[in-house]
Amino acid sequence: LRDYEFDRVDRSDNIAADLDKAARLSNPRQTLYLIHTPPAGLFDAGILTPGRRHIGSLAVAEFIRKNEPWLTIHGHSHEAVDRNGGRFQNRLGKSDVLSVGPGNDPTVLSFLLLDLATGSYERKRLTA
């Protein structure tokens, strides 16, 4: 971790630059990426945002299309999975894209159960 101060003038330190650096650390096609923000167009409907704007990242979507990671997991939009009828898994190009989508009910714990050896993914929900 390092101290960081946002510079409104210098826009070179951004999510696209950080993802490019991450892609050079290992083979993306053999890497699982845990990225808070979803890619633009998938699991990115912000129900609680004014006008229900999409809140996904164009940089994340481009990173996935360009590098074709094995698997990416995203959060950020609590309502995304519920809005997709419980569907938490999608594809972007050759990549599996998952969303935790915890919802907004504090009495429900949502999580993903991943079997990386078989490539099976399940979304589980526990109530208090």
Side-chain angles (χ1 to χ4, degrees), residues 6-17:
F6 181 72
D7 183 342
R8 292 187 181 276
V9 177
D10 179 7
R11 302 306 293 255
S12 63
D13 189 7
N14 56 47
I15 193 169

Side-chain angles (χ1 to χ4, degrees), residues 5 8 19 36 41-42 50-51 53 55 76 95 97 116-117 122:
E5 185 173 326
R8 292 187 181 276
L19 289 170
H36 181 83
L42 291 179
R53 294 179 311 199
I55 55 177
H76 194 57
S95 301
V97 178
L116 301 179
E122 293 180 65

